[in-house]
């Protein structure tokens, strides 16, 4: 969108960087209102992956006064030869939801882009907006970068002191012994969730994965067909027009419920939303707080979130998350140190955007926190890699992307320029295929690896409907809608969310507390989590009777035997990613001691070895 007369508008002054496309649209609408009311002749526009070709072409001629963009789109702007002429007028940069970028390579990409803008305008003002972050001081230092003398750049912290109340309520199963002890869907509580939706005016129902969102959307509509038109689906693989319509309908209060993923859990202000439901463990304290904040989105209002367990042990996780919120134990985001792959990509971007000299860009790059300790040898390796592919790839001419001309490094190949601009960014995913109906309307994108497993005529669930694959042509899957209610559910590569260290620590502490209450014969804890304790008490008692309940400093190892073989269960409670690394390492070391075949599997709580 845009605001104000375009011809008389000042050139680009304000750059607003946001990690999410949905958040960008909401920010644009929020900025356009005061611009109109103040009578400013400013233009406000978006530049994200969703921006139309017509608007992108217009922005190539002239950028708006305020540009709302993402790290990837900003890097793309830096890759054009006239980048300094177009972006050198920027006076202020606002980085929204900085905590979401800080611990990722997207954050490093943002740091490098900011260093480039500060070279062009040393007086550039930088604002960071953040919440739900444990290391807020470090976050400020990283955003502001390093001075020419190698010291931290002083900044000012501005905090709001109005306390924000967060109420975490758990939807407990009626009979925990009949409730699943494993799984991730939570459909056993579908009727209770529908009842909660009916009691509220407007609900956001968060799931942890896109596949889970598709299944819950289908499940609610099968149980209550009368809600058709009052319930919608929202996740990052849906077409931007579909997502835009859903966001507009939420803002207007026309929807009773939106089943969504993290595509809506950042900063989007949907005032009509009065209830948030979290299906399954949030896997992190900050994420639960962030999603809870989508309700009660006014100063002084209490944010309330209804937590729906998908298996019995998640009752303990919800109680532990409540303790962590009360104690202020929020996850810190660890800042990446010298990710050379991001730097190599940035070198090609800058070489495209007018070129660079070796020493000047080295000094500029070292003014970021990520590369403040970059050594001359590492810098030389990066230069060598972009100019000839390094010693490993020097025989392949396509890796000689940058050439040196009279001491200046530039890109001369149009093919290299085109391929680089298509691949700018640090988000990894499988190759995406467009999903279209046979009549031509676009539904979104889906990973190629999933479509490759389907044959024409097979059905799958996508965009809240059951589709039949008609044919695949030139990276597009053509589909038709069918009346059946069952189909295969896509899996996305990014659909794994590990337990955070803070929540894992809180879970271990809560388990020990519950074990002490069971040993003392308490019927309830008397605290705010007595509902969860009453529900899981039989399970804790059974665990204590058959084995032990591990404490914060304990490592529980259990063994059993079945028809499949001998099982070894190890419970570090350190999250899926740690366990997926530990399990094969332990199996490998055991196999070095004696000949043995071992199968491994991992969850957020531990890992199993089977022989």
């Amino acid at each position: 969108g845009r605001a104000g007369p375009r011809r008389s508008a000042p050139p680009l002054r304000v750059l607003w960087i946001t990690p999410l496309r949905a958040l960008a649209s909401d920010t644009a609408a929020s900025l356009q209102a005061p611009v109109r009311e103040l009578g400013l002749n400013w233009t406000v526009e978006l530049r994200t992956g969703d921006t139309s070709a017509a608007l992108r072409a217009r922005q190539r001629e002239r950028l708006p006064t305020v540009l709302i963009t993402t790290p990837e789109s900003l890097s793309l702007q830096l890759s054009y030869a006239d980048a300094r002429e177009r972006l050198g007028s920027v006076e202020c940069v606002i980085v929204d939801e900085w905590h979401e970028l800080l611990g990722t390579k997207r954050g490093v990409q943002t740091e490098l882009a900011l260093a480039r803008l500060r070279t062009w305008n040393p007086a550039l003002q930088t604002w960071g907006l953040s919440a739900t972050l444990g290391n807020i001081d470090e976050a400020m230092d990283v955003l502001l970068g390093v001075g020419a003398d190698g010291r931290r750049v002083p900044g000012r912290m501005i905090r709001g002191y109005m306390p924000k109340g967060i109420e975490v309520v758990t939807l407990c199963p009626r009979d925990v012994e009949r409730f699943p002890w494993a799984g991730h869907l939570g459909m056993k509580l579908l009727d209770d969730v529908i009842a909660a939706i009916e009691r509220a005016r407007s609900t956001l129902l968060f799931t942890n994965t896109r596949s889970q969102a598709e299944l819950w959307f289908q499940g609610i509509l099968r149980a209550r067909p009368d809600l058709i038109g009052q319930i919608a689906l929202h996740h990052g693989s849906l077409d931007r027009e579909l997502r835009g319509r859903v966001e507009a309908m939420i803002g207007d209060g026309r929807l009773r419920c939106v089943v969504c993923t993290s595509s809506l859990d950042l900063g989007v202000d949907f005032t009509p939303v009065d209830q948030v439901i979290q299906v399954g463990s949030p896997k992190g304290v900050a994420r639960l707080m962030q999603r809870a904040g989508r309700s009660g989105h006014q100063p002084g209002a209490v944010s309330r979130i209804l937590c729906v367990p998908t298996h019995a042990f998640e009752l303990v996780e919800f109680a532990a998350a409540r303790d962590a919120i009360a104690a202020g134990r929020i996850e810190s985001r660890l800042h990446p140190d010298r990710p050379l792959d991001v730097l190599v990509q940035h070198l090609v971007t800058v070489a495209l955007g007018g070129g660079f000299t070796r020493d000047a860009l080295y000094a500029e790059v070292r003014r970021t926190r990520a590369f403040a300790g970059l050594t001359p040898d590492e810098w030389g390796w990066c230069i060598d890699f972009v100019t000839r592919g390094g010693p490993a790839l020097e025989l392949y001419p396509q890796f000689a992307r940058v050439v040196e001309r009279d001491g200046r490094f530039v890109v001369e190949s149009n093919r290299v320029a085109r391929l680089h601009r298509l691949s700018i960014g640090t988000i990894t995913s499988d190759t995406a295929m467009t999903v279209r109906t046979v009549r031509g309307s676009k539904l979104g994108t889906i990973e190629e690896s999933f479509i490759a497993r389907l044959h024409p005529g097979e059905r799958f669930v996508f965009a809240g409907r059951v589709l039949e694959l008609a044919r695949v042509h030139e990276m597009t899957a053509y589909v038709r809608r069918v009346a059946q209610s069952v189909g295969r559910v896509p899996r996305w590569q990014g659909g794994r969310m590990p337990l955070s260290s803070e929540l894992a620590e809180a879970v271990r502490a809560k388990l020990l507390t519950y074990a002490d209450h069971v040993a003392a014969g308490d019927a309830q804890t008397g605290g705010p989590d007595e509902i969860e304790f009453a529900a899981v008490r039989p399970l804790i008692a059974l665990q204590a009777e058959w084995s032990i309940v591990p404490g914060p400093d304990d490592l529980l190892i259990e063994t059993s035997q079945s028809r499949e073989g001998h099982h070894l269960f190890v419970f570090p409670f350190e999250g899926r990613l740690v366990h997926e690394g530990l399990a094969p390492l332990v199996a490998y070391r055991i196999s070095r001691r004696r000949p043995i075949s071992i199968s491994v599997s991992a969850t957020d709580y531990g890992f199993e070895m089977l022989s």
Side-chain angles (χ1 to χ4, degrees):
R2 54 179 177 168
R6 189 175 183 87
R7 290 184 180 177
S8 58
L12 182 64
R13 291 285 185 266
V14 179
L15 200 59
W16 191 295
I17 303 174
T18 175
L20 276 185
R21 291 174 292 185
L23 185 55
S25 301
D26 185 68
T27 301
S30 299
L31 289 177
Q32 286 166 358
V35 165
R36 284 193 299 267
E37 291 174 8
L38 292 171
L40 299 176
N41 61 336
W42 286 18
T43 49
V44 180
E45 293 180 356
L46 294 173
R47 181 59 186 262
T48 70
D50 286 343
T51 302
S52 66
L55 183 55
R56 285 200 300 267
R58 194 160 71 237
Q59 288 173 354
R60 281 297 303 150
E61 298 176 6
R62 180 180 173 86
L63 287 171
T65 313
V66 180
L67 182 66
I68 303 160
T69 188
T70 59
E72 293 76 20
S73 293
L74 175 57
S75 292
L76 183 63
Q77 293 291 314
L78 292 174
S79 73
Y80 291 100
D82 58 350
R84 180 165 190 168
E85 177 185 341
R86 291 162 55 79
L87 299 176
S89 60
V90 174
E91 298 175 357
C92 176
V93 176
I94 299 104
V95 185
D96 203 356
E97 305 290 353
W98 174 232
H99 61 275
E100 189 69 17
L101 295 170
L102 175 63
T104 68
K105 290 183 179 180
R106 296 182 77 201
V108 176
Q109 184 181 15
T110 305
E111 287 184 73
L112 290 168
L114 289 175
R116 180 111 281 237
L117 295 177
R118 289 174 184 136
T119 297
W120 297 338
N121 180 12
L124 183 73
Q125 283 192 346
T126 308
W127 291 76
L129 308 180
S130 188
T132 59
L133 186 61
N135 53 336
I136 191 73
D137 292 321
E138 181 184 7
M140 180 179 71
D141 290 343
V142 171
L143 184 64
L144 296 180
V146 179
D149 55 0
R151 298 181 180 180
R152 65 183 292 270
V153 175
R156 179 179 298 176
M157 188 75 68
I158 302 173
R159 299 173 184 258
Y161 287 101
M162 179 177 290
K164 180 66 174 176
I166 297 179
E167 185 179 348
V168 179
V169 180
T170 303
L171 184 62
C172 288
R174 296 178 181 84
D175 185 357
V176 73
E177 294 186 4
R178 292 182 176 272
F179 195 65
W181 287 20
H184 69 284
L185 287 183
M187 286 296 182
K188 286 278 187 180
L189 295 175
L190 176 62
D191 292 340
D192 298 281
V193 170
I194 291 175
I197 291 172
E198 290 182 325
R199 289 193 295 268
R201 185 175 74 250
S202 180
T203 299
L204 291 181
L205 190 151
F206 283 103
T207 65
N208 288 338
T209 67
R210 300 173 192 184
S211 304
Q212 193 178 13
E214 294 275 359
L215 288 168
W216 266 89
F217 180 76
Q218 289 285 322
I220 293 173
L221 286 186
R222 277 198 299 269
R224 290 292 303 276
D226 57 300
L227 288 177
I228 293 176
Q230 301 178 58
I231 181 172
L233 179 67
H234 192 290
H235 60 69
S237 290
L238 299 180
D239 183 62
R240 65 181 177 87
E241 291 187 8
L242 295 176
R243 285 185 275 116
R245 286 201 296 268
V246 171
E247 292 161 19
M249 292 174 73
I250 303 172
D252 295 341
R254 287 181 283 162
L255 291 174
R256 293 289 300 276
C257 176
V258 177
V259 182
C260 55
T261 62
S262 55
S263 58
L264 284 183
D265 70 358
L266 284 179
V268 183
D269 183 9
F270 296 126
T271 304
V273 173
D274 56 0
Q275 176 176 253
V276 172
I277 298 176
Q278 166 66 37
V279 176
S281 167
K283 304 298 184 183
V285 181
R287 184 175 293 109
L288 186 65
M289 295 175 66
Q290 192 79 42
R291 293 181 173 179
R294 299 309 102 220
S295 71
H297 207 268
Q298 303 91 26
V302 174
S303 295
R304 183 176 183 272
I305 187 166
L306 179 65
C307 298
V308 180
T310 62
H311 58 79
F313 195 82
E314 284 186 341
L315 293 164
V316 181
E317 287 194 48
F318 291 138
R322 185 189 296 115
D323 287 354
I325 291 173
R329 293 195 300 269
I330 305 170
E331 289 87 0
S332 297
R333 305 297 173 100
L334 299 178
H335 180 241
D337 181 34
R338 289 173 292 178
L340 298 185
D341 55 339
V342 183
L343 180 55
V344 163
Q345 184 185 104
H346 184 68
L347 292 186
V348 181
T349 297
V350 176
L352 268 173
F356 65 89
T357 59
R358 186 182 184 118
D359 293 341
L361 189 59
Y362 180 51
E364 176 183 306
V365 164
R366 281 170 52 88
R367 295 191 65 177
T368 66
R369 276 288 297 273
F371 297 104
L374 187 72
T375 65
D377 287 344
E378 290 169 333
W379 177 246
W381 182 91
C382 292
I383 295 289
D384 183 54
F385 188 84
V386 299
T387 52
R388 69 183 185 100
L393 302 172
E394 61 180 334
L395 297 179
Y396 300 89
Q398 64 267 33
F399 289 100
R401 292 168 287 180
V402 177
V403 296
E404 185 179 7
R405 294 286 182 259
D406 300 324
R408 191 166 189 83
F409 293 86
V410 295
V411 172
E412 294 181 341
S413 167
N414 290 332
R415 181 177 179 274
V416 168
R418 185 172 60 254
L419 291 177
H420 179 74
R421 290 186 177 118
L422 287 172
S423 61
I424 281 179
T426 63
I427 301 174
T428 59
S429 65
D430 195 359
T431 304
M433 298 188 73
T434 301
V435 180
R436 290 185 181 274
T437 64
V438 290
R439 296 182 178 179
S441 59
K442 184 179 177 183
L443 299 179
T445 59
I446 204 166
E447 292 187 357
E448 182 185 16
S449 58
F450 175 76
I451 294 293
R453 294 194 296 268
L454 299 179
H455 298 286
E458 288 194 82
R459 298 187 299 273
F460 65 98
V461 177
F462 182 70
R465 60 199 79 179
V466 179
L467 307 171
E468 180 181 277
L469 181 64
R471 67 183 186 277
V472 175
H473 180 65
E474 293 183 350
M475 296 303 293
T476 300
Y478 291 92
V479 299
R480 57 176 63 91
R481 188 168 184 173
V482 293
Q484 285 87 346
S485 60
V486 178
R488 297 176 66 176
V489 179
R491 291 184 180 182
W492 282 268
Q493 185 179 352
R496 296 193 306 170
M497 195 178 289
L499 198 68
S500 74
S501 299
E502 283 72 15
L503 185 53
E505 183 180 342
V507 166
R508 288 195 293 266
K510 180 58 68 178
L511 270 178
L512 189 60
T513 301
Y514 281 178
D516 291 341
H517 283 297
V518 169
D522 297 340
Q524 59 184 26
T525 67
D529 58 336
E530 61 185 30
I531 295 176
E532 291 93 344
F533 176 69
V536 301
R537 190 181 190 282
L539 307 184
I540 301 294
L542 188 63
Q543 174 68 20
E545 179 185 345
W546 286 4
S547 176
I548 65 166
V549 178
D553 299 320
D554 298 330
L555 175 64
L556 174 61
I557 302 176
E558 297 177 341
T559 62
S560 67
Q561 189 173 350
S562 70
R563 290 185 218 167
E564 298 174 332
H566 297 269
H567 303 261
L568 182 73
F569 299 94
V570 185
F571 296 99
F573 286 93
E574 292 294 345
R576 180 186 297 272
L577 296 183
V578 173
H579 299 154
E580 286 180 346
L582 272 178
L585 175 61
V586 174
Y588 169 73
R589 291 191 173 179
I590 291 175
S591 69
R592 293 293 300 271
R593 298 175 67 93
R594 54 174 292 193
I596 189 173
S597 296
I598 300 176
S599 301
V600 298
S601 59
T603 69
D604 273 321
Y605 312 130
F607 59 90
E608 176 203 12
M609 293 189 291
L610 168 64
S611 175

